[in-house]
Amino acid sequence: MIIVMKQGCRKKEIDALMKKVEKLGFKPHAIFGVERTVIGAVGDDRDRHLLEVLEASPCVEKLVPILQPYKLAGREIKKEPSVVKVGTAGFGGGRFGVIAGPCSVESEKQIVETAIGVKKAGARVLRGGAFKPRTSPYSFQGLEHEGLKLLARAREESGLPFVTEVVNPEDVDLVGEYADMLQIGARNVQNFPLLRRAGKYGKPILLKRGMSTTIQEFLMSAEYVMSEGCRDVILCERGIRTFETATRNTLDISAVPVIHERSHLPIIIDPSHATGSRNYVEPLCFAAMAAGSDGLIIEVHPEPQKALCDGPQSLNIADFTALMKRLKELSKFDRVKL
Ligand code: PEP
Ligand code: MN
């Protein structure tokens, strides 16, 4: 249920109403909009009628039931797009953020060199996997804790905040201690204990769409994260499974306008995992920007041919730099702030 507060109501009144919502067995989420404040009361739909008593409160304008199944992630509760900030990067509401870095952290030299290189090119957030969810148990699984330390080192050297994946609910505290944003990967998009645990942690979350999740399921996963109190969720379309085998996955570019219509959350594109080939990264970056996406996450490695993970889809630093120049040109036409 959305509780629309009267214009000009005070913080004290909002707090008191939130307490009432809690007493009725619902979780209150206040959203301070440009014009007025609304409180999302989220809980068991069968008890919705209990909230009706609030309509009589002097500071309440009206109650509006939320029809979308994703209550906090949907547009009904928040009309304006959310802007998620990570360091100096902004995602959403006309801000276009670029995240770049290797698939996995391999050594200090590799991650520091990449961080400095991508920063110079204009990336605002560094990426790099320390815990790698691999299809084969025999593939490189990541440097784990050591990888997190190396990412922190790269942040020190470059000044870039970093995002890294967490694959296990028990690792959220450890990863959260180091990372500026936690990534939940495609394979874990419906790992509900992980979504809940990460949502509770309090840092921004980069949530990747699963290869077989519908947009509705994807938004419900975001809802899990948000229902634990996290407001800063960035969605990422990274390609879905189709009959096509010429590319690793099929980029569902239509996810961008569809998600913008249904949700206030920013949506970015991962052209690297979508295609599996560096040759296709640049055209899909252009497509992403033209379609209105709120940013990109791109795999970059100083020596892609030697990468332990996802080398064929990684750009080298020179190619990434050239790509960023072209994106900056395009951003002028698209009127987004890169
Ligand atoms: C990654 O970002 O390195 C990754 C494993 O991505 P995804 O979860 O989209 O496959
Ligand atoms: Mn990868």
Side-chain angles (χ1 to χ4, degrees), residues 103 127 132 165 183 185-187 208 238 273 299:
C103 183
R127 62 149 290 150
K132 291 306 303 174
E165 184 164 352
Q183 176 173 325
R187 289 154 193 82
K208 297 187 100 179
R238 44 77 74 207
H273 291 89
E299 284 190 339

Side-chain angles (χ1 to χ4, degrees), residues 18-53:
M18 285 177 61
K19 283 217 178 82
K20 281 190 195 163
V21 169
E22 238 166 340
K23 269 207 184 128
L24 292 167
F26 286 76
K27 251 194 206 174
H29 299 261
I31 290 160
F32 301 95
V34 187
E35 293 199 350
R36 64 184 71 207
T37 300
V38 304
I39 296 169
V42 181
D44 193 331
D45 254 356
R46 289 166 300 183
D47 294 337
R48 210 167 67 184
H49 62 279
L50 297 175
L51 292 164
E52 282 162 16
V53 298

